[in-house]
């Protein structure tokens, strides 16, 4: 594992801790696009643990953003990647499970489309 992958994982673990211990919705509103872009890169280019952490952070982000248009926007932009990792038979089981959880939770919280 390269240093950059370890740094990514450490950053994701810090984000996971922050999002699960504090309400940061105001802070996140201003930074949602930056966070979405970062999570997108982790889901696309990451492997295993990095993808799993990205799915967990996305779930927490959706919980914090809520059912408004901003949460919906974040979910809509990342949904195709979640489905892609979930259906990728070469992805690690933990990454697939994390993306499945993120997909379910974010659908429940932030999907405007009832389907």
């Amino acid at each position: 594992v390269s240093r950059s992958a370890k740094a990514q994982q450490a950053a994701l673990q810090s984000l996971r801790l922050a999002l699960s211990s504090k309400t940061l919705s105001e802070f996140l509103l201003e930074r949602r696009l930056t966070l979405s872009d970062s999570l997108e890169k982790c889901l696309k280019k990451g492997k295993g643990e990095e993808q799993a952490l990205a799915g967990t952070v996305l779930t927490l982000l959706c919980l914090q953003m809520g059912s408004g248009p901003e949460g919906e926007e974040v979910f809509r932009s990342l949904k195709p990647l979640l489905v892609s990792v979930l259906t990728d038979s070469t992805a690690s089981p933990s990454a697939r499970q994390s993306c499945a959880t993120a997909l379910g939770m974010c659908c429940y919280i932030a999907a405007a489309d009832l389907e």
Side-chain angles (χ1 to χ4, degrees), residues 18-90:
L19 292 175
S20 60
S21 60
K22 294 183 179 84
T23 302
L24 302 164
S25 41
E26 291 298 315
F27 176 83
L28 293 170
L29 274 177
E30 300 166 15
R31 293 161 180 84
R32 69 185 183 281
L33 299 177
T34 305
L35 274 169
S36 291
D37 288 348
S38 298
L39 291 173
E40 181 178 335
K41 286 179 186 133
C42 292
L43 288 168
K44 269 186 185 174
K45 298 180 175 157
K47 297 282 182 243
E49 182 67 14
E50 188 177 335
Q51 287 177 316
L53 282 165
T56 302
V57 169
L58 176 57
T59 301
L60 292 166
L61 182 60
C62 275
L63 281 166
Q64 293 251 0
M65 300 290 292
S67 60
E70 295 87 1
E72 184 190 330
E73 172 190 27
V74 168
F75 175 56
R76 195 175 341 108
S77 70
L78 294 173
K79 182 183 169 191
L81 277 172
L82 291 173
V83 172
S84 172
V85 174
L86 177 60
T87 57
D88 179 0
S89 61
T90 64

Side-chain angles (χ1 to χ4, degrees), residues 92-111:
S92 78
S94 65
R96 293 175 76 186
Q97 182 269 325
S98 179
C99 288
T101 301
L103 194 58
M105 287 296 291
C106 295
C107 258
Y108 181 72
I109 295 164

